[in-house]
Amino acid sequence: MPDGLSYGASCSNYWYNNNVNTTLMGFDTKLASKRISAGIFNGFAYDTKSGGAMVVDLKMSHNYDKNAFVGQNLRIRNNLADGSISTQFRYSPCTVNIPVADNTSVYLNPHAVAKYSYTSKKWDTGAGAFLGVSHKFKNDLSLSLEGQRYNIQDFDNNKGNWGVNVIVSKSL
C-alpha cells in the first residue's frame, strides 16, 4: 500500500428533532500527507422520511497548523435516490480539534452549505455547526458523538432545527 493511502468503513446514525432518523453506512479511501488529505466515500443511506439513497462523497481537508488543531475542509455529497438526485457542497473554513485525553478529542465544525436539487432545479443554502467528542480505540475503531445545529442563518424560523449523531468507524 502506498504511503499515505488508507481505507475505512463507517456506520453513522443521525437523530433529528423532527422525528427523522438517518443511517449511513459505507467505505472510504483517503490519500493524506501531513497537512492535506483527499478522499472518496461510497455508501448507502436510509432515512425514515425519504427512504434509501446511494451516497458518494468527495472530501478534502487542509490543516492550518502542523498539529492539526485548526483546519478547513470541503465535502461534496452526491445523493442518488429514486426520484431525487442532489449535490451538496459543505465548506468549513475553520474547524477546531483539541485533544483532551489519550486518543480522545473535542471538535467544533462551523460550516456553510449549498445544495442543488437536480429534480427541482433549485438551490438551498444555509449555515450550521456541529460540536462533538471522538475517541480512538487501540483496534483502529473510533466512536464519535456529536450535536448538530442546522440553518442558524435564520434562527427565528429554525429554532428547533438540530440533531444528535453517533458515528462508528474502523480503519481497514
Side-chain angles (χ1 to χ4, degrees), residues 26-95:
F27 297 94
D28 64 84
T29 302
K30 181 167 65 171
L31 182 61
S33 68
K34 289 181 182 181
R35 294 175 84 170
I36 297 173
S37 71
I40 187 166
F41 172 87
N42 294 291
F44 180 78
Y46 179 82
D47 78 50
T48 55
K49 181 180 178 184
S50 305
M54 295 296 298
V55 176
V56 178
D57 288 349
L58 302 173
K59 300 177 181 183
M60 293 157 267
S61 68
H62 173 259
N63 294 320
Y64 295 129
D65 65 320
K66 66 180 179 177
N67 295 316
F69 293 152
V70 182
Q72 65 178 324
N73 62 60
L74 173 68
R75 184 192 73 195
I76 303 169
R77 171 164 287 171
N78 297 283
N79 281 304
L80 309 158
D82 187 26
S84 176
I85 299 172
S86 64
T87 298
Q88 180 194 67
F89 301 87
R90 186 182 76 194
Y91 177 61
S92 304
C94 186
T95 61

Side-chain angles (χ1 to χ4, degrees), residues 7-152:
Y7 305 95
S10 64
C11 180
S12 307
N13 203 293
Y14 305 92
W15 294 282
Y16 304 103
N17 69 315
N18 63 357
N19 295 322
V20 174
N21 178 266
T22 302
T23 300
L24 174 63
M25 298 179 356
F27 297 94
D28 64 84
T29 302
K30 181 167 65 171
L31 182 61
S33 68
K34 289 181 182 181
R35 294 175 84 170
I36 297 173
S37 71
I40 187 166
F41 172 87
N42 294 291
F44 180 78
Y46 179 82
D47 78 50
T48 55
K49 181 180 178 184
S50 305
M54 295 296 298
V55 176
V56 178
D57 288 349
L58 302 173
K59 300 177 181 183
M60 293 157 267
S61 68
H62 173 259
N63 294 320
Y64 295 129
D65 65 320
K66 66 180 179 177
N67 295 316
F69 293 152
V70 182
Q72 65 178 324
N73 62 60
L74 173 68
R75 184 192 73 195
I76 303 169
R77 171 164 287 171
N78 297 283
N79 281 304
L80 309 158
D82 187 26
S84 176
I85 299 172
S86 64
T87 298
Q88 180 194 67
F89 301 87
R90 186 182 76 194
Y91 177 61
S92 304
C94 186
T95 61
V96 179
N97 186 35
I98 305 296
V100 293
D102 284 346
N103 300 318
T104 303
S105 60
V106 174
Y107 56 91
L108 173 65
N109 188 333
H111 54 271
V113 176
K115 181 178 178 180
Y116 183 74
S117 169
Y118 297 96
T119 310
S120 67
K121 301 195 181 338
K122 292 184 180 177
W123 283 95
D124 183 27
T125 59
F130 49 93
L131 174 67
V133 60
S134 184
H135 182 78
K136 293 181 182 180
F137 297 93
K138 294 185 185 208
N139 60 357
D140 291 326
L141 188 71
S142 295
L143 176 65
S144 300
L145 175 64
E146 58 187 34
Q148 188 160 2
R149 180 70 167 84
Y150 302 93
N151 296 317
I152 59 177

